Amino acid sequence: MKVLIIGGTGVISTAITRELLARKADVTLYNRGITPSLVPEGARRIFGNRREYATFERQMAALGVFDCVIDMMCFLPQDAESLVKAFAGRTAQLIFCSTVEVYTKPAERLPIREDNPRQSICQYGVNKALCEDILNQAHQRQDFQTTIFRPAYTYGEGGTLIYALGDQTYLDRIAKGGSLVVPGDGNCLWVTCHRDDVGLAFVNAIGNTKTYGKAYNTCGDNWMTWNAYHQTVARAIGAPEPRLVHIPSSLLEKLAPHRYKPRAYIFSYNYLFDSTAAKEDLAFRCTTSWEQGARRTYAWAKENGQLGKSEEDTFHADLVAAWEEMGEALLAQVQGG
Ligand SMILES: NC(=O)c1ccc[n+]([C@@H]2O[C@H](COP(=O)([O-])OP(=O)(O)OC[C@H]3O[C@@H](n4cnc5c(N)ncnc54)[C@H](OP(=O)(O)O)[C@@H]3O)[C@@H](O)[C@H]2O)c1
């Protein structure tokens, strides 16, 4: 089995690479060599930037043919077009890592299945849907067999955990018992999946004829509210119960336009996806609980000096103080009146 991964050292793709090497596949990784690699020896490494399209296409042509190419880093229609140029007739199968952000939100029908409408509310999702269309057209032309993955939130060691006001200092903030800003009332549903479970499903798709021309949600099955998400992380790492500070999402968009607004859609809708197809065709299973996975991710970050320094984030502290002062003043005014 000769497989090329564009990426291969990132959060999800590390699990794919590891699983392929464990199965003794012939693995080539293509990336810029910037992300620190947590994958074992054994894969051939080719370096380059896939956005330098002409060079990328020349580099790929020189590599010969593959049984499968997995693209983890295709975000723009131009990326997908270049991918087709590079691999039409040069790979039997093309696995594209899309996202659940392609779906219309709020969804008219829950849980969201693969045939739900794809009118995304964010540019990221719009572009991923365009990439899907380009790769499905290539499938129709028989340039290669296309398989699409739409992961929901996927995390793992080597990365951090998602937080509305800044992922990089989240683990330190929660470990130190700091306040956490939670958009809205924190009762929207969210779901997490450890990357090892998602990575296994990708590998099970290789050469699997059932997956040709199909798309698959890969989403955890541990739905929880955002409040429970934070409470579980605190419990997992032995931190104090977090003090959750609820601020309306629409206000946060104005207060923190750079760090909150671009991802506000994540925190404002229920993330309920149906992964039955992946369970049936790819033996996709969620084997790591959120508590176990959060503990492992924290332990890795601590051991590798990646916890961040939450006290340096003065904006966060100022925002919480201003919000609480305003709340007290409002209460005094209403009760006084
Ligand atoms: N994690 C989630 O919650 C989630 C959910 C839905 C969808 N996704 C999708 O998952 C994919 C991300 O997968 P991941 O977690 O494995 O990746 P990742 O953690 O973002 O890592 C990126 C990988 O691609 C390489 N890379 C980045 N830019 C590149 C470029 N211009 N040219 C060549 N290589 C490049 C990186 O290595 P270098 O830095 O060394 O180049 C690394 O190997 C994306 O397509 C995303 O849309 C993720």
Side-chain angles (χ1 to χ4, degrees):
M1 188 161 61
K2 200 176 161 204
V3 182
L4 168 77
I5 307 177
I6 300 171
T9 55
V11 173
I12 302 175
S13 54
T14 289
I16 301 173
T17 306
R18 285 179 179 164
E19 181 63 23
L20 281 168
L21 290 173
R23 293 189 193 185
K24 311 270 183 251
D26 174 345
V27 184
T28 303
L29 307 183
Y30 177 85
N31 54 54
R32 297 163 305 170
I34 295 173
T35 301
S37 169
L38 300 178
V39 299
E41 295 292 309
R44 183 162 39 141
R45 302 287 306 264
I46 309 283
F47 297 104
N49 182 345
R50 68 93 41 81
R51 288 264 160 85
E52 291 167 8
Y53 298 125
T55 311
F56 167 72
E57 288 156 29
R58 265 199 311 278
Q59 282 179 297
M60 296 303 103
L63 294 178
V65 295
F66 289 92
D67 297 310
C68 181
V69 171
I70 303 177
D71 195 344
M72 300 303 295
M73 274 293 118
C74 179
F75 290 96
L76 301 174
Q78 303 90 291
D79 297 341
E81 278 156 9
S82 167
L83 195 60
V84 175
K85 276 194 211 156
F87 292 109
R90 289 208 188 100
T91 183
Q93 184 183 14
L94 190 296
I95 299 182
F96 167 52
C97 186
S98 184
T99 169
V100 292
E101 299 306 342
V102 295
Y103 295 117
T104 308
K105 295 205 197 91
E108 281 180 16
R109 188 185 68 198
L110 289 170
I112 294 177
R113 289 201 318 242
E114 287 82 353
D115 60 353
N116 264 53
R118 294 177 312 148
Q119 264 102 36
S120 179
I121 54 169
C122 63
Q123 196 57 47
Y124 165 55
V126 168
N127 284 335
K128 282 282 193 182
L130 291 170
C131 294
E132 289 188 358
D133 293 345
I134 291 164
L135 297 171
N136 279 331
Q137 285 155 16
H139 174 85
Q140 297 296 332
R141 286 194 305 269
Q142 303 198 330
D143 290 346
F144 39 66
Q145 305 285 345
T146 298
T147 302
I148 293 173
F149 275 78
R150 296 185 186 139
Y153 177 57
T154 310
Y155 69 95
E157 299 87 328
T160 181
L161 302 178
I162 191 168
Y163 172 54
L165 279 194
D167 304 353
Q168 294 313 318
T169 54
Y170 173 66
L171 288 170
D172 185 59
R173 180 176 307 288
I174 201 158
K176 289 178 176 157
S179 305
L180 296 173
V181 171
V182 182
D185 60 9
N187 282 328
C188 269
L189 291 179
W190 181 240
V191 71
T192 66
C193 194
H194 192 273
R195 58 111 174 276
D196 289 350
D197 293 327
V198 175
L200 197 58
F202 270 76
V203 175
N204 288 343
I206 299 174
N208 179 341
T209 54
K210 284 186 212 157
T211 72
Y212 295 169
K214 281 182 74 173
Y216 294 93
N217 293 337
T218 54
C219 148
D221 44 21
N222 53 346
W223 286 278
M224 64 192 118
T225 64
W226 277 104
N227 294 333
Y229 169 96
H230 297 302
Q231 286 154 351
T232 307
V233 176
R235 194 167 57 246
I237 67 174
E241 170 87 14
R243 201 163 67 83
L244 304 179
V245 179
H246 295 102
I247 303 182
S249 184
S250 53
L251 184 60
L252 276 178
E253 284 191 37
K254 294 187 186 120
L255 291 169
H258 299 298
R259 48 169 109 182
Y260 180 68
K261 193 174 175 188
R263 299 194 306 179
Y265 60 87
I266 289 177
F267 305 95
S268 309
Y269 298 99
N270 290 318
Y271 272 60
L272 273 169
F273 306 96
D274 182 343
S275 301
T276 305
K279 287 179 179 167
E280 286 176 1
D281 292 357
L282 304 167
F284 172 58
R285 298 285 180 273
C286 305
T287 62
T288 306
S289 72
W290 175 229
E291 189 162 346
Q292 290 165 335
R295 188 178 300 122
R296 280 165 52 179
T297 306
Y298 174 78
W300 183 90
K302 192 171 178 194
E303 266 168 45
N304 291 279
Q306 299 293 320
L307 286 180
K309 289 198 173 118
S310 56
E311 60 278 6
E312 288 177 2
D313 185 356
T314 52
F315 172 81
H316 194 285
D318 291 348
L319 175 63
V320 169
W323 171 257
E324 292 187 332
E325 262 172 48
M326 192 197 69
E328 279 164 28
L330 182 65
L331 205 59
Q333 193 184 338
V334 171
Q335 287 175 343

